[in-house]
Amino acid sequence: MPEANSPRRPARPARFEQALECFREARDLTDPETSPGVYGVILHDIADTYRDAQDFKEAAEHFRQAVSYKERADNPGDLATTMTALANTLASMGEAAEAREVLERLAGQVPKIADTERRAAVLHNMGLSHEELGRLGLEGAYADAVAAYQAVLALIDGESDPGWYATVLKDIGDAYASQEMLPQAHASYTEAVRYTRRIGETPASLITVLIALGRTSRRLGRLEGEAEGGAAVNGSVREPGASQADAGVPGAAPPSDASPADTGPLDAPPLDVPPSRDEP
């Protein structure tokens, strides 16, 4: 008999339990052999419910099951949705290596997505997932993010959809900035500003991009002003003796003479841009 003061797992909210009951009944009424795609969708819903309840272990397991069934259905776009959700859940658990493996498998599915807009959205979500792995310290993840974002740019038209194009350019700038590749970040932010101005009425997202560009320009100015003692290796620039925070490393404390928001990407919801989603 457990001790009276032994820790107990907190109960899930009643609404989550109700949701799980509905999804489980729907799952039990579905034949996985004749309808593997539908079965996979239901498993994805179960996983989403566990994730909302902060039970990431159960969520990951059900996302894995959902992937296995969706792989048997002829819907690569829907499969991509679940694989992205699995990768994001694994990242939340700190399982960066497995998350990258899932994203690498997903890369093989992307060419099978016939709809160009959907393919671009999947690649964008992959880029966001790779950035999260970069923040977890996984080597090469930021470079993978840049590659995914650049693939998005090749699929979308900046003239007809400047908002989305500008958002992807800013994402590229953020990924470069996280690698301390300031010249490349500056170039991406500059282009992001140019496309954001084309949206029409001055969008709120322009403020975000201008701040990112301004901060990068200021950091480059400091480095160029101390060029004699600075360093530039493979396009990466950093002040000698600069702290991680001054270099814009996420999670590091800002220098004493800097604004608390001076050291990392400024996030704001872009306008006229398809949101990042991993729901089916």
Side-chain angles (χ1 to χ4, degrees):
M1 180 175 180
E3 297 180 4
N5 61 351
S6 61
R8 292 184 179 181
R9 184 175 181 176
R12 282 186 290 271
R15 292 297 186 188
F16 287 150
E17 291 296 343
Q18 183 183 38
L20 287 171
E21 289 176 8
C22 291
F23 294 136
R24 287 165 179 159
E25 183 174 357
R27 177 195 60 190
D28 294 343
L29 294 171
T30 303
D31 185 349
E33 299 303 319
T34 60
S35 302
V38 175
Y39 200 81
V41 167
I42 297 169
L43 286 169
H44 184 120
D45 277 315
I46 293 174
D48 262 342
T49 306
Y50 278 121
R51 184 167 60 171
D52 287 343
Q54 303 296 300
D55 190 341
F56 296 115
K57 183 177 180 180
E58 283 292 337
E61 179 54 34
H62 282 81
F63 278 134
R64 292 188 190 99
Q65 294 178 29
V67 166
S68 70
Y69 282 100
K70 287 189 177 186
E71 285 176 333
R72 296 161 55 183
D74 187 21
N75 192 336
D78 192 31
L79 173 61
T81 295
T82 299
M83 294 184 78
T84 303
L86 173 57
N88 292 341
T89 302
L90 291 167
S92 297
M93 298 168 65
E95 300 291 343
E98 185 180 353
R100 168 178 271 175
E101 179 185 345
V102 171
L103 292 173
E104 288 174 347
R105 287 165 51 203
L106 174 54
Q109 295 294 325
V110 172
K112 302 176 185 178
I113 302 174
D115 183 77
T116 301
E117 184 175 348
R118 176 60 177 154
R119 189 160 69 250
V122 169
L123 285 164
H124 185 243
N125 285 340
M126 287 176 63
L128 295 173
S129 298
H130 280 302
E131 275 201 84
E132 182 59 30
L133 297 182
R135 285 187 283 273
L136 291 175
L138 188 65
E139 185 177 356
Y142 284 120
D144 291 336
V146 170
Y149 293 142
Q150 289 175 335
V152 176
L153 291 183
L155 294 174
I156 62 180
D157 182 2
E159 299 303 317
S160 62
D161 198 349
W164 193 6
Y165 205 84
T167 293
V168 179
L169 284 166
K170 183 184 179 297
D171 289 334
I172 292 174
D174 289 345
Y176 277 137
S178 295
Q179 298 174 84
E180 300 178 29
M181 299 172 69
L182 299 185
Q184 292 89 333
H186 186 276
S188 292
Y189 289 143
T190 299
E191 283 295 285
V193 167
R194 187 164 70 87
Y195 278 95
T196 304
R197 292 189 192 278
R198 297 182 180 183
I199 294 175
E201 295 183 8
T202 304
S205 55
L206 179 58
I207 299 172
T208 299
V209 185
L210 284 169
I211 291 174
L213 176 58
R215 290 177 178 173
T216 306
S217 297
R218 182 176 62 211
R219 291 176 62 196
L220 282 169
R222 290 202 305 259
L223 292 170
E224 290 165 0
E226 300 180 6
E228 290 300 320
V233 180
N234 295 326
S236 177
V237 183
R238 181 170 175 178
E239 288 180 84
S243 67
Q244 282 191 323
D246 202 36
V249 176
S256 59
D257 61 346
S259 162
D262 187 44
T263 58
L266 185 70
D267 295 322
L271 300 183
D272 304 322
V273 178
S276 171
R277 299 183 60 220
D278 57 19
E279 294 86 0

